[in-house]
């Protein structure tokens, strides 16, 4: 095996060096806990908004303008979820 001179790399080659800090078990646990809590809060928020919009659409007391607004929000949420699932 021949040594490689990092000051003069071979033609059509790129040299990169990185120094990365290793994540400890405690840091990993905190990161994963934070991600799970954030995911659950986001899901709860979407469910509450969808429930409020559905209640507005089905309500007899809601005006036509309120129902139109609620349908717009439901359509946007549905489009966002479908776009997330299809990923295009």
């Amino acid at each position: 095996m021949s040594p490689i001179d990092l000051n003069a790399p071979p033609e059509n080659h790129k040299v990169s060096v990185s120094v990365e800090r290793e994540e400890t078990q405690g840091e990993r646990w905190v990161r994963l806990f934070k991600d799970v809590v954030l995911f659950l809060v986001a899901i709860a928020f979407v469910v509450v908004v969808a429930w409020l919009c559905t209640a507005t659409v089905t309500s007899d007391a809601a005006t036509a303008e309120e129902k139109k607004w609620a349908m717009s929000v439901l359509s946007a949420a549905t489009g966002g979820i479908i776009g997330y699932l299809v990923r295009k």
Side-chain angles (χ1 to χ4, degrees):
M1 188 152 101
S2 63
I4 298 175
D5 183 9
L6 295 178
N7 292 324
E11 191 175 324
N12 296 326
H13 285 77
K14 182 175 141 183
V15 177
S16 65
V17 177
S18 66
V19 178
E20 297 177 5
R21 185 173 177 271
E22 192 172 317
E23 184 178 45
T24 65
Q25 191 66 18
E27 291 170 337
R28 181 177 182 270
W29 188 87
V30 168
R31 179 180 52 83
L32 292 175
F33 179 76
K34 180 195 69 153
D35 289 347
V36 168
V37 168
L38 182 62
F39 178 75
L40 292 176
V41 168
I43 291 293
F45 179 74
V46 169
V47 167
V48 167
V49 169
W51 176 76
L52 285 172
C53 289
T54 304
T56 301
V57 168
T58 59
S59 172
D60 293 333
T63 66
E65 189 66 28
E66 290 171 337
K67 288 183 179 187
K68 191 188 312 183
W69 173 84
M71 286 301 290
S72 296
V73 172
L74 284 174
S75 297
T78 303
I81 291 170
I82 290 172
Y84 175 77
L85 293 175
V86 174
R87 295 184 192 255
K88 285 190 176 187

